[in-house]
Amino acid sequence: MRIFVTGATGWVGSAVVKDLIAAGHEVTGLARSPASAGKLAAAGAQVVHGSIEEIEVLRAAARAADAVIHTAFNHDWSRFAENCAADKHAIEALGAELHGSERPLIVTSGVALLAPGRLATEADAAPPVTESFPRASEAVVEELRRRGVRATTVRLAPTVHGVGDHGFVPRLAGIARDKGVSAYIGDGQNRWPAVHRLDAARVFRLALERTAEGPFHAVAEQGVALKDIAEAIARRFNLPLVSKAAAEAGEHFGWFAPFVGLDAPTSSDRTCAILDWKPEQPGLLKDLAQPDYFAA
């Protein structure tokens, strides 16, 4: 298939592009800068210059494609509401171009807020769109589906790991190095689900190649205890491992405290069964033990 990918040079999107090309698909990727365009060309993809804010660029690229994968999202938390609005408009535009065809659209979402404190499954609905959480990715997908667009969602674990990671775990490690201790909250038994980026990329491809209805969960490990993650960081940087009371979390972790305290165990049983997906890459703690994991 000819597949258009947004976020094609991002942490997840770049792995999706490589996986698609390795499977024999033709990929066109969205690139905001000459540097991104160079990376895409080197990976063997064609390049569309532009950003997700450029609606006509998105529509033209979708028009020329057999399928679309939307992985782009601006993670500047200081502009979260604006970034959610841009994401919503991009998905609407892509869906409008695919309307009336059987060409699939796969949109990226997450599992973190599905069912805090209990095991989440693919049957759980996305959290409602509110002023405090304005991300509407899944709500737009549902509206597109009602209009007959073949749209679905791949929900990512909050920890998508691999060498070069710049997400949750490196942020936690950065706080540890700044504070001189590797910390967790309370007993540290709250859990982060995890997936290796290469395993996650395969979920997107399998979701395209099969006709099953999502959402799908790119989750290889249902939940890794925060204490175990903090311990791996302490060992790597030779730091003390300490517990912080919930009342101390805000001062120690800053705005990242709610994420550190997140308990979001998540199942991918349905995804594994329907897509015949079997994670093959190392688990999170084994990955963190690699000498070059925190090299960047």
Side-chain angles (χ1 to χ4, degrees), residues 77-142:
W77 296 101
S78 68
R79 293 175 47 83
F80 187 59
E82 294 93 327
N83 296 336
C84 289
D87 179 59
K88 177 178 183 289
H89 296 150
I91 298 168
E92 290 172 338
L94 294 168
E97 200 58 51
L98 298 175
H99 184 261
S101 75
E102 283 299 308
R103 293 176 295 155
L105 167 64
I106 296 185
V107 171
T108 309
S109 183
V111 303
L113 299 179
L114 289 176
R118 68 163 174 83
L119 186 69
T121 74
E122 291 90 342
D124 284 303
V129 180
T130 62
E131 186 174 341
S132 60
F133 187 76
R135 189 163 184 180
S137 312
E138 293 205 37
V140 178
V141 166
E142 287 308 307

Side-chain angles (χ1 to χ4, degrees), residues 3-22:
I3 303 167
F4 173 51
V5 180
T6 71
T9 57
W11 176 241
V12 174
S14 60
V16 171
V17 168
K18 290 179 182 178
D19 187 84
L20 290 170
I21 291 173

Side-chain angles (χ1 to χ4, degrees), residues 2 31 82 133 139 148 155 175 223 226 229 233 238 258 264 267 275 284:
R2 294 166 298 170
E82 294 93 327
F133 187 76
R155 294 167 170 169
I175 293 171
L226 257 291
I229 298 171
I233 293 169
N238 194 27
S267 168
L275 300 183
L284 176 60

Side-chain angles (χ1 to χ4, degrees), residues 35-251:
S36 293
K39 291 177 182 177
L40 275 175
Q46 298 178 35
V47 179
V48 170
H49 296 273
S51 71
I52 63 169
E53 288 86 3
E54 296 175 73
I55 297 301
E56 289 309 313
V57 171
L58 295 182
R59 294 192 65 146
R63 193 177 309 132
D66 297 319
V68 177
I69 297 178
H70 177 58
T71 69
F73 189 81
N74 186 336
H75 287 93
D76 178 355
W77 296 101
S78 68
R79 293 175 47 83
F80 187 59
E82 294 93 327
N83 296 336
C84 289
D87 179 59
K88 177 178 183 289
H89 296 150
I91 298 168
E92 290 172 338
L94 294 168
E97 200 58 51
L98 298 175
H99 184 261
S101 75
E102 283 299 308
R103 293 176 295 155
L105 167 64
I106 296 185
V107 171
T108 309
S109 183
V111 303
L113 299 179
L114 289 176
R118 68 163 174 83
L119 186 69
T121 74
E122 291 90 342
D124 284 303
V129 180
T130 62
E131 186 174 341
S132 60
F133 187 76
R135 189 163 184 180
S137 312
E138 293 205 37
V140 178
V141 166
E142 287 308 307
E143 176 57 31
L144 291 173
R145 286 180 58 80
R146 285 192 288 270
R147 290 165 44 198
V149 178
R150 187 181 157 196
T152 195
T153 307
V154 170
R155 294 167 170 169
L156 292 172
T159 304
V160 181
H161 58 90
V163 173
D165 181 6
H166 52 273
F168 275 24
V169 173
R171 189 174 296 277
L172 190 62
I175 293 171
R177 296 173 75 180
D178 289 344
K179 300 285 187 175
V181 296
S182 183
Y184 54 90
I185 299 173
D187 64 5
Q189 294 309 299
N190 59 300
R191 296 149 290 181
W192 280 358
V195 66
H196 193 283
R197 66 191 288 259
L198 300 183
D199 285 325
R202 207 150 30 86
V203 176
F204 284 88
R205 175 171 60 80
L206 293 172
L208 269 190
E209 293 175 344
R210 310 196 179 199
T211 58
E213 183 179 328
F216 301 106
H217 284 184
V219 174
E221 296 176 278
Q222 289 190 355
V224 182
L226 257 291
K227 184 177 181 180
D228 293 340
I229 298 171
E231 186 174 15
I233 293 169
R235 190 161 48 245
R236 170 64 178 81
F237 296 107
N238 194 27
L239 296 170
L241 177 68
V242 301
S243 170
K244 293 291 181 180
E248 303 174 285
E251 180 181 353

